Amino acid sequence: MRKGSIAASLFWLSAGWLILALVATGFLLTDLYSRALDTSLSDTLDFHVETLAGALLEAGDPSSPDIALSDPRFERPRSGWYWAIRDADGTLYNLSTSVVGINLPDITGALDGGRRTAIMDDAFGTRMRVVERAVTLAPTTYQIVVTGNLSEILELVGNFRGQAFIVLGAVGVMLAIMSAIVARFAMRPIDRLSAAIESVREGESVTVTGTYPREIAPLAEEVNELLRSNAQIIERARNQVGNLAHGLKTPIAVLRNEAANKKGALADVVVSETEKMSTMVATYLERARLAARTSVVGKKADPTMVMLRLTRVMRKINPECTIAFQRPDASLPWFRGDEADLEEMAGNLLDNACKWSKGQVGVRLDAERSNSGTMLLIRIDDNGPGLSEADAEKVLRRGVRLDEKTPGSGLGLDIVKELVDVYGGSLALKRSALGGLLVELRLPTARLGAMARPNAT
């Protein structure tokens, strides 16, 4: 679950609510357990008070030795379990063995039905629940006081709290794992849809295929409809441009032919302008063809194979030029685009390097990785005169030529730049280590193709 993914968001959201719920459950269970123990202690103390009251009324004498409780905790000193019978002035008439040597605290507050209770500490710092009841044995009213050790209950509550949070923590871990598994399985259809779209983009499939849940199926259908509509729009645009260009060719040719058979300044102007019009029509027709071709998804090309073919051709065309091609390893990613476009870009750049070099040209292919992804880097350098920074900027403009003596129309780099822009790449002209010009062409990459690459020749 990568950061920022839906699965991660679902996991952390559910984990956050799960932690809050388990913590609240732990405190709630602890509070209920504490209340239950305190209620049980109060009931026990009420039972002891009733037992002592019955014994007092039966004996008729508050100091009678027959008044006693069988619970052995009242026999142990400092136990927190005490009982005593005293009058309104605080005079003790009877008490448990555990009270010897200490004074029981007095309870303040009004009696509720002849009974009142409070929480106090004894002389040893033990927290106690104290229950007091008034019993009248004419003509005297006696207070029967019974205490229970509340510190033991608080210790039990603390132990229970610790164990409860351990158990709830283990439950939380299991639920968190289950939540992660559920989130992962819930996102599997989206992963499959993403893989299907990537297969279309990489040219492995024409449409998005597969069966998806009801919530995602409309998205897959919309993507397929978008692909179909995009292909139709491109085809219509290409046909319209082609029809326009072919429709203009005939009248332009007629004008040029008619003007060529005439003499005079007007005829010369017509011939000159019709030549320009023919060039412009051919140029924009080619650009429309390139734009339509590069707009179609699902194409890729092996740059190593392309550069191998180009270097062989350029060696035959320029036998006086030594072209050194450093063959990359098999991990080099493929170019994401039309193979003919890659040949046109790299071929123009390699042809220019051969024309301007003094007999030495180098070609290298690399994969340039960054935070934004991987780019295919094609480096072509030569030992020619090179270009200054100002000239490098000028030469990328359409039709600009720095040396009219070298054959060519000046449109090569312009076409390369236009294709680079269409593919979202970049073109840079720098100073080469060989002393001439270094051209760096960066293009988007596709996944590595399965076709075996032949050995360089």
Side-chain angles (χ1 to χ4, degrees), residues 10-148:
L10 289 176
F11 171 76
W12 288 114
L13 181 62
S14 59
W17 281 109
L18 182 63
I19 292 173
L20 291 177
L22 291 178
V23 170
T25 300
F27 282 110
L28 178 60
L29 290 176
T30 301
D31 183 68
L32 292 175
Y33 182 67
S34 175
R35 289 173 182 269
L37 291 180
D38 189 52
T39 300
S40 176
L41 178 61
S42 297
D43 292 342
T44 300
L45 295 179
D46 286 335
F47 174 77
H48 289 322
V49 167
E50 296 297 330
T51 300
L52 291 173
L56 173 60
L57 294 175
E58 183 179 353
D61 181 8
S63 60
S64 172
D66 295 333
I67 302 174
L69 294 174
S70 60
D71 192 331
R73 290 177 292 184
F74 292 101
E75 305 297 327
R76 191 173 69 250
R78 304 179 62 175
S79 65
W81 292 86
Y82 313 115
W83 66 265
I85 300 175
R86 58 193 178 188
D87 58 16
D89 297 329
T91 303
L92 285 173
Y93 291 89
N94 209 336
L95 48 79
S96 64
T97 305
S98 58
V99 181
V100 176
I102 64 173
N103 294 321
L104 292 178
D106 295 327
I107 301 178
T108 59
L111 291 171
D112 183 10
R115 176 186 179 277
R116 59 187 172 186
T117 183
I119 297 176
M120 296 183 174
D121 295 334
D122 65 5
F124 307 106
T126 301
R127 182 60 57 91
M128 304 179 299
R129 166 70 69 179
V130 183
V131 175
E132 181 181 295
R133 180 182 174 184
V135 177
T136 301
L137 189 62
T140 308
T141 298
Y142 299 96
Q143 282 82 35
I144 300 176
V145 181
V146 181
T147 70

Side-chain angles (χ1 to χ4, degrees), residues 251-299:
I252 291 174
V254 171
L255 289 175
R256 184 173 59 248
N257 293 335
E258 290 295 330
N261 295 327
K262 305 294 181 181
K263 300 294 184 178
L266 178 59
D268 294 339
V269 171
V270 172
V271 170
S272 175
E273 294 303 318
T274 52
E275 288 292 341
K276 291 181 181 179
M277 292 170 65
S278 298
T279 302
M280 291 178 65
V281 168
T283 299
Y284 282 103
L285 179 60
E286 178 65 15
R287 289 186 178 185
R289 181 185 63 82
L290 293 176
R293 191 171 64 201
T294 54
S295 298
V296 178
V297 297
K299 293 187 177 182

Side-chain angles (χ1 to χ4, degrees), residues 241-259:
V241 173
N243 292 336
L244 176 62
H246 288 296
L248 290 174
K249 280 185 177 180
T250 299
I252 291 174
V254 171
L255 289 175
R256 184 173 59 248
N257 293 335
E258 290 295 330

Side-chain angles (χ1 to χ4, degrees), residues 425-444:
S426 65
L427 179 65
L429 304 180
K430 301 179 180 179
R431 172 64 64 176
S432 169
L434 298 177
L437 182 66
L438 169 63
V439 180
E440 292 185 347
L441 176 62
R442 290 174 174 84
L443 297 171

